[in-house]
């Protein structure tokens, strides 16, 4: 059995070769604890956000792309494995590709190694996320063919120009869907007089968020009135929240341009030809491809289900021994 694991800030995804190849688990990377004891994980835990009593804590053990609570991350992952019927010897024997942040340092890498050991994984290869998002976005990974990828997730954005020989230029920044959600909360409070929770903000972004100047969808936001403190609701239009999105996409593009500006001429020529490969959950926003293509003045492509690019790339890599050897070795050197 072969597995790929993407422990995202927002969502954990697991790919498995058992019974056909495919993604077997997609769950929020979220844990509910009562007095420090894990009570619920995944969807069940995330649903409790903002609705719990004071003894219950809702925690995200991966924050801005990095493991911030190893014990909880391990407990969460164990429960996810149980949920999809993976345990004991099958995990111990499985070949695994585990996604790690771009530019991870040895100390952070050891956090991932400890986590893997804790949950009973043995044959694990750690791979920096941009290789996986590139593969999952169907960029052609070859030597001498650099590709340009941007992955915008919940807590982190990875920007990289890379080929099979390595990452030529790249960085990650703590920007993602969570920032957009927070901006929507601020907007609703200051402009619409309604306090909303983060689940509501995320729902608004995902349901009516758009970068199309002609978007005309609307939704009803429910929360608590700023003036009366009573439960209340108000209509919101797509265009109302567009600035909450563009503020962050623009920042990402500004930094991406700094990377592009420093590319050697031949690499720039390649990138110019193939354009940018976009992935990550935020790339599900309507019209984001057109927006980015026009701002970067280059071709842009988004794969289907962009939020699964990293785990899909992991699935492809774990089945390709030769390529895996080449890519995983870079981190182990
Ligand atoms: N339809 C949608 N429109 C806009 N954003 C969406 C949509 N669906 C999901 N998202 C957002 O995408 C983000 C999650 O994306 P993804 O699964 O790629 O992140 P992650 O891998 O968990 O996090 P990270 O890579 O930052 O550690 C969340 O902010 C989520 O709200
Ligand atoms: Mg991710």
């Amino acid at each position: 059995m072969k597995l790929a694991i993407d422990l995202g800030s927002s969502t954990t995804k697991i790919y498995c070769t058992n019974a056909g190849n495919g993604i077997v688990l997609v769950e929020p990377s979220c844990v509910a604890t009562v007095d420090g004891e894990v009570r619920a994980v995944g969807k069940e835990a995330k649903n409790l956000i903002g609705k719990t009593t004071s003894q219950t804590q809702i925690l995200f053990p991966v924050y801005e792309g990095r493991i911030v609570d190893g014990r909880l991350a391990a407990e969460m992952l164990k429960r996810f494995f149980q949920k999809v019927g993976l345990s004991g010897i099958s995990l111990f024997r499985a070949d695994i590709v585990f996604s790690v942040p771009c530019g991870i340092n040895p100390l952070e890498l050891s956090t991932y190694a400890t986590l893997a050991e804790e949950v009973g994984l043995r044959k694990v290869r750690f791979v920096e996320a941009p290789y996986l998002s590139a593969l999952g976005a169907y960029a052609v990974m070859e030597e001498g063919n650099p590709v340009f990828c941007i992955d915008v997730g919940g807590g982190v954005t990875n920007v990289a120009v890379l080929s099979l020989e390595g990452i030529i230029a790249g960085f990650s920044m703590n920007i993602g869907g969570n920032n957009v959600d927070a901006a929507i909360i601020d907007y609703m409070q200051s402009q619409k007089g309604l306090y909303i929770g983060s689940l509501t903000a995320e729902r608004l972004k995902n349901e009516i968020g758009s970068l199309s100047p002609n978007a005309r969808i609307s939704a009803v936001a429910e929360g608590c009135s700023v003036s009366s403190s009573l439960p209340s609701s108000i209509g919101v239009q797509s265009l109302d929240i567009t600035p909450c999105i563009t503020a962050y996409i623009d920042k990402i593009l500004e930094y991406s341009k700094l990377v592009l500006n420093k590319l050697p001429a031949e690499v720039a020529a390649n990138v110019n030809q193939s354009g940018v490969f976009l992935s990550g959950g935020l790339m599900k926003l309507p019209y984001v491809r057109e927006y980015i293509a026009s701002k970067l003045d280059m071709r842009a492509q988004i794969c289907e289900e962009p939020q699964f690019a990293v785990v899909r790339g992991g699935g492809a890599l774990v089945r390709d021994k030769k390529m895996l050897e080449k890519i995983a070795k870079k981190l182990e050197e």
Side-chain angles (χ1 to χ4, degrees):
M1 181 175 74
K2 298 180 197 300
L3 293 176
I5 303 170
D6 175 15
L7 202 57
S9 314
S10 296
T11 315
T12 296
K13 301 103 176 160
I14 301 177
Y15 174 105
C16 179
T17 58
N18 258 5
N21 302 319
I23 298 166
V24 292
L25 178 120
V26 179
E27 285 271 351
S29 306
C30 186
V31 182
T33 64
V34 178
D35 297 327
E37 289 249 333
V38 175
R39 284 297 162 85
V41 297
K43 289 185 199 93
E44 212 184 312
K46 188 174 174 184
N47 252 329
L48 297 173
I49 290 178
K51 303 170 199 159
T52 56
T53 56
S54 58
Q55 294 103 312
T56 308
Q57 270 195 303
I58 310 294
L59 302 156
F60 283 81
V62 183
Y63 182 67
E64 295 182 342
R66 285 165 152 82
I67 296 173
V68 288
D69 189 326
R71 183 186 72 85
L72 277 190
E75 187 64 29
M76 179 178 81
L77 201 50
K78 271 185 205 163
R79 290 187 182 220
F80 286 160
F81 283 138
Q82 268 168 18
K83 205 165 175 170
V84 291
L86 295 170
S87 62
I89 197 79
S90 66
L91 286 177
F92 190 74
R93 285 195 185 141
D95 289 310
I96 295 161
V97 161
F98 206 123
S99 171
V100 295
C102 179
I104 190 169
N105 65 37
L107 185 68
E108 288 172 324
L109 189 57
S110 73
T111 311
Y112 279 86
T114 309
L115 170 76
E117 204 173 314
E118 184 102 337
V119 298
L121 315 176
R122 188 175 53 116
K123 297 198 286 180
V124 188
R125 305 301 293 268
F126 297 103
V127 177
E128 286 176 282
Y131 289 107
L132 304 179
S133 61
L135 287 168
Y138 310 114
V140 178
M141 291 289 281
E142 286 171 349
E143 272 156 39
N145 180 37
V147 292
F148 174 35
C149 305
I150 303 180
D151 181 282
V152 190
V156 96
T157 293
N158 282 313
V159 179
V161 176
L162 73 166
S163 77
L164 261 196
E165 280 154 332
I167 296 176
I168 297 161
F171 67 93
S172 61
M173 56 202 289
N174 301 338
I175 288 186
N178 293 344
N179 299 86
V180 176
D181 300 348
I184 293 175
I185 292 176
D186 287 348
Y187 166 82
M188 291 300 292
Q189 182 188 334
S190 63
Q191 305 298 314
K192 299 267 184 180
L194 189 74
Y195 291 120
I196 58 168
S198 61
L199 291 180
T200 300
E202 184 177 22
R203 186 175 62 77
L204 289 176
K205 174 193 69 195
N206 299 359
E207 285 178 6
I208 65 164
S210 171
L211 290 173
S212 164
N214 304 316
R216 292 281 177 272
I217 331 166
S218 61
V220 173
E222 285 168 338
C224 177
S225 160
V226 171
S227 56
S228 69
S229 302
L230 290 171
S232 178
S233 65
I234 200 156
V236 192
Q237 306 284 329
S238 283
L239 293 180
D240 291 339
I241 61 167
T242 305
C244 303
I245 303 165
T246 48
Y248 292 100
I249 301 279
D250 288 350
K251 236 178 239 176
I252 291 167
L253 297 180
E254 201 180 301
Y255 283 96
S256 302
K257 281 184 187 164
L258 296 180
V259 168
L260 295 177
N261 282 340
K262 290 202 189 107
L263 294 178
E266 291 296 355
V267 176
N270 264 78
V271 165
N272 191 50
Q273 248 178 34
S274 54
V276 58
F277 293 86
L278 302 170
S279 61
L282 207 65
M283 294 296 118
K284 289 175 78 169
L285 287 167
Y287 219 71
V288 69
R289 188 185 70 76
E290 290 81 351
Y291 186 86
I292 292 179
S294 107
K295 288 252 166 171
L296 288 181
D297 194 20
M298 65 168 64
R299 244 154 47 88
Q301 9 190 340
I302 302 181
C303 50
E304 87 280 6
E305 301 190 300
Q307 74 276 29
F308 299 143
V310 167
V311 82
R312 190 165 53 219
L317 189 61
V318 78
R319 290 185 287 134
D320 185 335
K321 233 177 169 174
K322 220 166 129 195
M323 197 188 298
L324 175 59
E325 202 48 49
K326 211 167 166 72
I327 292 178
K329 229 173 91 196
K330 295 191 194 318
L331 209 56
E332 290 156 12
E333 272 164 5

